[in-house]
Amino acid sequence: MIDWQNTYASIYRAKQERLKPVKYIDELRFNDLVGIDKQKEAIIENTKRFLNNLPSNNVLLWGARGTGKSSLIKALLYEYKEEGLRVIEMDRDDLDDLIEISDKIREEPYKFIIFCDDLSFEEGEKGYKGLKRILEGSIEATPKNIKIYATSNRRHLITEYHKDNQGTVVASNGEIHYSDSVEEKISLSDRFGLWLSFYHGTQNDYLKVVDFYFKDYKGNKEEVHKKALQFSQSRASKSARTAKQFYNTFM
């Protein structure tokens, strides 16, 4: 059993069938996250409602890589761990065990975010079945102290194929009737009540993040910008992650 009073986060180790306490938490702060103010505001509001026993949603953070999706979850834990927030990180391949984990924590006085990073499923993978049971419940009510916060590069979490659309028809009144395959794939994403989208910004957005990291730098800022753009070209990305990687390289 985990001492949740002194353990703020854990990672599920499926081979050992146990939750491993996290001793060293990534102390990421909201002020460290630049260029995603709307997403930050929405997820903070939802999480505060969750902590205050108000209606709140499961959250899907989807979009381009390196745009701060996972960092937002880390910042939430740092900000609200003293208010009873706890995080359990799980891989997508282990989600069939989510029911057993929820049984162990549903009576705890803390609020748990089940964090699934880079969540998506290929055809034939069945791990999403366990996820659906937690998202919507079964004959047993969904635990009130658990929410799912997942990140993904795509909005529909299960890979869609052209053949899935076979059987989809349009009625005479214009109403679309989806095939069973399409319906199931759309329904998983629909079980997340809050969708937050993330996109690569413009060159100016990228340089603003660079300036944030170099705010205490006393050298030539124009030269920094020039090298930062060269670095982004080598990575084919102008994301916040690229800006931080440039800072780690330059400094």
Side-chain angles (χ1 to χ4, degrees), residues 161-220:
Y161 296 94
H162 179 71
K163 63 182 176 61
D164 293 337
N165 291 310
Q166 297 175 0
T168 300
V169 298
V170 180
S172 59
N173 63 356
E175 182 180 357
I176 298 176
H177 296 278
Y178 291 105
S179 68
D180 291 342
S181 179
V182 172
E183 186 66 33
E184 181 177 43
K185 294 181 178 186
I186 294 175
S187 69
L188 181 60
S189 294
D190 280 347
R191 284 170 167 80
F192 290 88
L194 177 60
W195 290 2
L196 300 177
S197 55
F198 294 74
Y199 303 95
H200 285 312
T202 64
Q203 178 172 297
N204 286 336
D205 293 330
Y206 170 68
L207 292 177
K208 285 180 182 179
V209 180
V210 171
D211 287 341
F212 170 80
Y213 285 116
F214 283 84
K215 57 182 177 293
D216 297 323
Y217 181 67
K218 304 302 181 183
N220 188 326

Side-chain angles (χ1 to χ4, degrees), residues 90-99 116 119 121 127 130-131:
M90 293 189 70
D91 290 335
R92 66 169 190 179
D93 295 335
D94 304 327
L95 289 173
D96 270 345
D97 296 336
L98 190 51
I99 293 295
C116 305
L119 184 65
F121 299 99
L131 179 59

Side-chain angles (χ1 to χ4, degrees), residues 2-5 50-51 53 83-86 104-112 144-146:
I2 289 184
D3 175 15
W4 290 111
Q5 182 175 352
F50 178 42
L51 291 171
N53 299 311
E83 297 182 30
L85 184 65
R86 301 293 183 263
K104 294 178 180 178
I105 63 176
R106 69 183 302 149
E107 300 297 333
E108 293 284 347
Y110 303 97
K111 297 297 175 65
F112 292 88
K144 294 182 179 180
N145 66 335
I146 297 176

